[in-house]
Each structure stands twice: as structure tokens, then as C-alpha cells.
Amino acid sequence: QDLSEKISISLKDNSNAKLIEYVKAFGPYVNFFLNKEKFYGLIINNSISKKQKKTPSKKHGTVVIDYSSPNIAKPIAFHHIRSAVIGNIIGNIFEHNDYEVIRINYLGDWGTQFGKLITAFENYGDDKKLEREGIKHLLDVYVQYHREENDELNSTAKKWFQLMEAGDKKALSYWKKFRDISIKEFDRVYKRLGVSFTNIEGESFYNGKTESVIKDIDKKIGTKESEGAVIVDLSAFDMPPVLLKKTDGTTLYATRDIAAAIDRWNRFAFVESLYVVGNQQELHFKQVFKTLELMKLDWFSRCKHVQFGLLHFEDAKMSTREGRMIFLEDVLDKSVELAKKAIDEKNPDLKNKDEIAEAIGVGAIIFGDICKKRIQDITFKWEDILNFDGETAPYVQYTHARACSILSKAGFAYEKDMTISKEYLPSDLEFELVKLLSSFEDKLIEAQREYEPFVLARYVLDLCQVFNRYYYQEKIIDIKDEKQKEAKLALVYSVKENIKECLSIMDIKAPERM
């Protein structure tokens, strides 16, 4: 009770007390009541003025985010969307909250599978087909390899990768050609999703740099030889050993990931280094981080594995080796096609139909990936993704377009620091909207802290649901009192700008007409 009295006095004396109508200590509780008049004006004006595109700053330090990271020589499969979208949005959230973000696409462009790919191309490939079909031809020969896999093929593949690690010109020429073709194909898909990177640094970036790392590990914590392989024994921590080098002398994922972590610290001195990778790799990252800890690198705790669940395409199973793969670009194309069909049915005279269909179709796929907490598995169903009445991107985009329509019809133009009187916004729904607007920055901090884009998705859905109730239940334009109409339109404008900002952080476009 003494504490509650002290807190209530502190609140009364606080410089922000102008926002508080009165404070009352009640037993061990403190009750405080907002000055709604000042609160409404402050929130509505601030929520509009803050929605300008922010310039990323280094105010809170540098965050490194490793995401997407597909294997080269294969089209981006649909299930790869999770890492790309989640990582990109987390990067946008950190940037909004004044961090410098280093976005790394850590391509799977090194390892024994590339020995297999060279062997496959030597046996089944065609240069003209490669020029014409690009990455899909590489997938075809890779699948063919696994259909006919035998000891002779595997022995040849092993030799090719050994040649790659030894710097053989022919082997590296093949590898570079496959890599360049892959990056060109990836960029086209990334552009549609709004996904971008600061650095494209595949595993190959650390070729030739792993030997010194292995020596450093041996010096600091000791390595062992096991059946001809070099390992770090983690049995004391109930973990399998970390394989650093195979019996043939070639390196593995863990070796390169440890080298990458050390290199990123040396270059960026990050406050956090995030790995947006599926939960199947949980053990791998525990092993890598434990090795960094045992090396007495005090920044190891800044490295975090941001896990996510599996993506199921209804009952379809995806397997690269067997040639059954759902390509991300094909899913985007179909989503846009279905969006175009919906536009033709509901608003056939809409201008820029193709552009808007692309915004709706692609936005639906992005939002569908963050409509649940990232750790949960997602089952993809078309009827859920493109539902204009459900908890989807089209629903949010349509709400934004509806707010734009109201403002256009009223001829409303927002003026900076408008006087917004609570007297003209008396309803409970209006207060609910203002409270939601006031919580936007807090939600972004929560989303950052939890590395959770779903927090932002849930917030914007809640805002849209309340706004649509407001639209249906209350008059906004057909009001005689001009001051009240102006206040209501300012609220609509603020909601519209807030929805647009949320969609922007998700890299989803916000059409003004649908």
C-alpha cells in the first residue's frame, strides 16, 4: 500500500501527467485515468507523422541476420519461403527500431553435393539446354544422378569435390557457372517477395579459411580423431560430436558455420547474430554455439537460432532427389492468377488489374507464412490464403483500400498537427481504435524481442477488425457537424496509414483500390 501511494504521487508529478486525468491509489493497486482529449490528439497525430519511411540508423548497434540460404543449382522450393520471409520481416522490424541490419544470404554453394552435380552434368547435362532452361536443367540432371546412383558415380562425385577444395580450375569453372545461373534465378523470385540482402556469402566464402579455424579449435578445446575424421567431442554435454573434417580431408557444414560466426563477429561486432533456420537444425546450432562457448568467445551468447516449423502443401510431399518439388515461383504465379480471377469477378473495371493482382497474390503468400507463430507448422490451403473475409493479406489490403475510398469520397486532406477533440470521437469503438494505434510501437518492440513477425500480423488484423466494425456501425461522412466529420476522417486517415506501415514492414503492397 505504501508503494502504491508513492507510485500514484510519482505519476501525478511526472512530466507526462498532462496525459493523465487523475491517479488514485487503491490498496496495493494504482488506478490511473487518461485525459482522453490530449490522448486522442497526441496518438492520432503521432501515428500519422511517424508513418514516414524511416532511414535505418545504428542507434542500438548492428544485428546480423542469416536467412533464406537456399542450395544453388535448384529452383527455390515453396517450403524455402519460410526462412526468406521470416528473416526479411525480422530485419525490417529491427531497422524500424533503429538497428543497423546486415542481411546475409548464406547460400548452400559448397559441399559434396556439388561433386555429385558436376558428375551429373558430365553424364547427363547439355550446354544448350542449360543456356535455355537454366536452373531447371540442373535440377533434372541432379534427379537423374540419384535415380542411377551407384558406387562408381559416388566415387567420381567425391573426387570432383576434392578437386573443388583443392582449387582445380575445371571443377571451379563448373561450380561458378552453376552458382551464377542460380543467383540470377533466385533474384527474380526475391524481387517479387520484396526480399533483399546486404551480402550474398555462400559457404564457399569460407573455403580455404577453415583450416586455421580447426587449428584454433584444437588449440583452445582440443580435437579428436574418430574413424579417420576430425571431431570435437561434446559427449560431456549430452550432444553428438561436431564433425570438422571427413576422412577424405573435406570440410562439413559445422566447420564452415563456426568459421562464419567468428568472421561475422570480427567484421560486424554484432549485438545479435540470428540464424533463421528450420527447427530440424536445432541440434546443429546447439553444437556450433557450444563449440564457440568452449572456445571462450564471450560473444557466443549473442548468436541465436530463430527456429520455425514445417510448411506442408496440403498432402503433397516434396523431395528434390525424387524430382517431386513445388517451386515457389509456380505458387506465386498461381496465387496471382487466382487474385486476377477474383478481381475480374468483383471489380472488372478496376484499373491496373495486373499490378493489383500481383500485389494481392504475392501478399497473400507472404502473409500466409506469418499468420501463425513461426514455431508452428503451417498447412497451406488456397481457400485460406486468398480469403477476402478471413485473417489474410487480402482482408488487410481490402481494409486499407476501404479507408482510402472513404477519404477520397470525402475529399479529406490531412494537415499536420490537426486539433483532434475527443468531444467529436465519443464512441467506444473510436477509443478502441485510438488505443490500438497507441500500441503500435510497443508491438514492434515485442515482435523484435520475440523475433516474431506474427505479433505484427496479429496486431494489424485486430486493427482491421475493429475498423471494419466501426465502418459498418457508425456514420463517418454523412455528418452535419463539420468538426466531428473532420475528427472522424483524421482517425480513418491514421488507421489507413498504420495499416500501410504494417504491410510495408511485411513487404506487402497496400493498393488504394481493389
Side-chain angles (χ1 to χ4, degrees):
Q1 290 183 14
D2 288 343
L3 282 172
S4 69
E5 286 287 349
K6 288 177 182 177
I7 291 168
S8 66
I9 292 168
S10 175
L11 281 171
K12 288 174 185 175
D13 296 338
N14 191 278
S15 60
N16 289 324
K18 60 184 180 181
L19 286 175
I20 299 172
E21 191 73 44
Y22 66 93
V23 184
K24 184 177 181 181
F26 184 76
Y29 301 97
V30 179
N31 296 332
F32 68 94
F33 297 81
L34 288 172
N35 179 329
K36 290 183 181 178
E37 189 71 38
K38 292 190 168 98
F39 180 67
Y40 277 40
L42 178 73
I43 296 304
I44 292 174
N45 282 304
N46 280 4
S47 66
I48 294 169
S49 62
K50 286 183 180 179
K51 297 301 171 286
Q52 309 303 319
K53 189 71 176 176
K54 293 185 68 169
T55 302
S57 76
K58 301 180 183 181
K59 182 179 177 182
H60 300 304
T62 299
V63 174
V64 175
I65 309 181
D66 177 329
Y67 60 100
S68 190
S69 309
N71 289 331
I72 67 166
K74 302 171 190 174
I76 299 180
F78 181 48
H79 62 276
H80 286 137
I81 190 175
R82 299 227 69 195
S83 177
V85 163
I86 292 169
N88 200 56
I89 295 173
I90 290 173
N92 294 343
I93 290 167
F94 269 96
E95 279 188 352
H96 183 95
N97 291 339
D98 291 319
Y99 288 80
E100 180 187 29
V101 178
I102 305 297
R103 303 162 181 264
I104 296 179
N105 191 358
Y106 188 55
L107 295 174
D109 66 352
W110 204 253
T112 54
Q113 70 268 36
F114 296 103
K116 293 180 180 181
L117 183 61
I118 294 172
T119 305
F121 193 79
E122 286 256 302
N123 281 274
Y124 320 113
D126 183 304
D127 283 317
K128 289 183 179 178
K129 272 192 174 182
L130 182 62
E131 190 175 334
R132 188 171 62 251
E133 298 176 13
I135 203 168
K136 290 191 177 179
H137 182 57
L138 294 178
L139 177 63
D140 287 342
V141 300
Y142 187 75
V143 170
Q144 183 73 13
Y145 175 98
H146 285 285
R147 282 182 185 148
E148 302 185 20
E149 190 170 4
N150 55 52
D151 290 342
E152 186 181 346
L153 281 173
N154 285 337
S155 177
T156 305
K158 191 175 181 180
K159 288 174 184 174
W160 272 115
F161 182 54
Q162 287 173 328
L163 287 169
M164 282 174 60
E165 290 228 305
D168 179 79
K169 286 185 179 179
K170 185 176 180 182
L172 291 179
S173 175
Y174 268 130
W175 169 81
K176 186 177 186 307
K177 183 191 291 186
F178 299 158
R179 189 180 191 273
D180 290 347
I181 288 170
S182 301
I183 290 173
K184 185 178 178 181
E185 297 262 353
F186 295 163
D187 283 348
R188 188 177 66 252
V189 179
Y190 289 140
K191 188 176 181 180
R192 292 183 74 180
L193 291 169
V195 170
S196 61
F197 302 96
T198 316
N199 303 48
I200 297 178
E201 297 173 352
E203 292 179 66
S204 61
F205 189 74
Y206 297 98
N207 182 38
K209 301 178 183 179
T210 52
E211 200 58 44
S212 61
V213 171
I214 293 172
K215 287 179 181 176
D216 197 26
I217 293 171
D218 185 50
K219 181 181 175 182
K220 290 183 176 179
I221 58 179
T223 61
K224 291 183 179 180
E225 189 173 307
S226 174
E227 299 178 9
V230 178
I231 67 165
V232 175
D233 184 4
L234 295 180
S235 58
F237 307 98
D238 295 322
M239 280 188 252
V242 176
L243 268 65
L244 299 176
K245 192 185 287 187
K246 293 194 288 188
T247 54
D248 62 7
T250 56
T251 55
L252 293 100
Y253 293 122
T255 329
R256 296 187 285 274
D257 279 355
I258 293 166
I262 294 169
D263 174 66
R264 290 171 188 176
W265 168 255
N266 290 335
R267 283 195 288 161
F268 305 118
F270 47 75
V271 293
E272 291 189 72
S273 182
L274 309 180
Y275 297 81
V276 185
V277 183
N279 52 22
Q280 310 98 305
Q281 298 298 318
E282 181 178 10
L283 175 60
H284 169 78
F285 283 105
K286 281 183 176 179
Q287 291 173 299
V288 168
F289 298 160
K290 177 55 71 174
T291 303
L292 296 173
E293 179 184 3
L294 294 172
M295 292 175 74
K296 300 192 184 316
L297 301 170
D298 57 8
W299 47 265
F300 83 92
S301 60
R302 302 183 186 195
C303 299
K304 310 279 175 57
H305 177 201
V306 180
Q307 303 180 41
F308 54 83
L310 294 170
L311 175 61
H312 305 283
F313 196 88
E314 296 191 297
D315 295 327
K317 292 182 180 179
M318 298 174 236
S319 170
T320 304
R321 291 189 176 188
E322 295 175 20
R324 291 199 308 269
M325 179 186 282
I326 299 170
F327 300 137
L328 174 54
E329 194 164 26
D330 290 344
V331 175
L332 294 176
D333 288 342
K334 183 173 180 181
S335 187
V336 171
E337 180 187 329
L338 291 171
K340 180 82 178 291
K341 186 178 178 183
I343 291 169
D344 287 337
E345 290 172 358
K346 296 180 179 182
N347 193 0
D349 298 325
L350 182 67
K351 293 180 180 178
N352 304 321
K353 280 196 287 189
D354 290 343
E355 183 182 327
I356 293 172
E358 176 78 9
I360 295 170
V362 173
I365 301 300
I366 294 172
F367 199 88
D369 194 55
I370 58 169
C371 62
K372 292 182 180 178
K373 290 186 177 181
R374 58 177 165 77
I375 202 64
Q376 292 180 273
D377 291 352
I378 291 178
T379 300
F380 180 93
K381 295 179 182 177
W382 287 112
E383 59 268 28
D384 296 338
I385 296 295
L386 280 162
N387 187 344
F388 281 75
D389 298 316
E391 297 188 339
T392 64
Y395 171 74
V396 176
Q397 289 169 314
Y398 189 70
T399 304
H400 175 266
R402 171 171 280 159
C404 289
S405 177
I406 293 168
L407 296 167
S408 176
K409 187 177 177 182
F412 178 80
Y414 177 78
E415 295 178 10
K416 189 176 180 182
D417 297 327
M418 290 180 70
T419 301
I420 311 294
S421 175
K422 190 265 173 191
E423 174 190 352
Y424 299 118
L425 299 170
S427 75
D428 290 341
L429 280 174
E430 285 161 337
F431 186 39
E432 199 170 342
L433 282 173
V434 175
K435 284 194 292 181
L436 279 167
L437 292 173
S438 75
S439 68
F440 174 67
E441 297 293 338
D442 289 334
K443 288 297 178 183
L444 282 175
I445 291 170
E446 180 185 346
Q448 174 198 308
R449 186 176 63 243
E450 303 296 330
Y451 316 116
E452 186 57 89
F454 169 74
V455 171
L456 185 61
R458 183 67 263 167
Y459 167 78
V460 76
L461 284 170
D462 290 342
L463 181 62
C464 289
Q465 287 166 355
V466 175
F467 178 77
N468 280 307
R469 290 207 311 273
Y470 180 58
Y471 170 80
Y472 282 114
Q473 292 180 26
E474 300 206 18
K475 290 182 178 179
I476 299 173
I477 297 177
D478 299 328
I479 300 172
K480 291 181 180 178
D481 190 317
E482 288 298 319
K483 288 186 177 179
Q484 183 174 24
K485 180 161 72 173
E486 186 178 79
K488 285 177 175 287
L489 289 170
L491 178 58
V492 171
Y493 187 89
S494 183
V495 170
K496 185 264 292 185
E497 288 293 292
N498 201 274
I499 294 171
K500 185 178 179 181
E501 178 70 2
C502 288
L503 290 174
S504 174
I505 292 171
M506 298 175 198
D507 281 304
I508 296 174
K509 291 184 170 60
E512 295 189 1
R513 293 177 180 78
M514 283 175 64

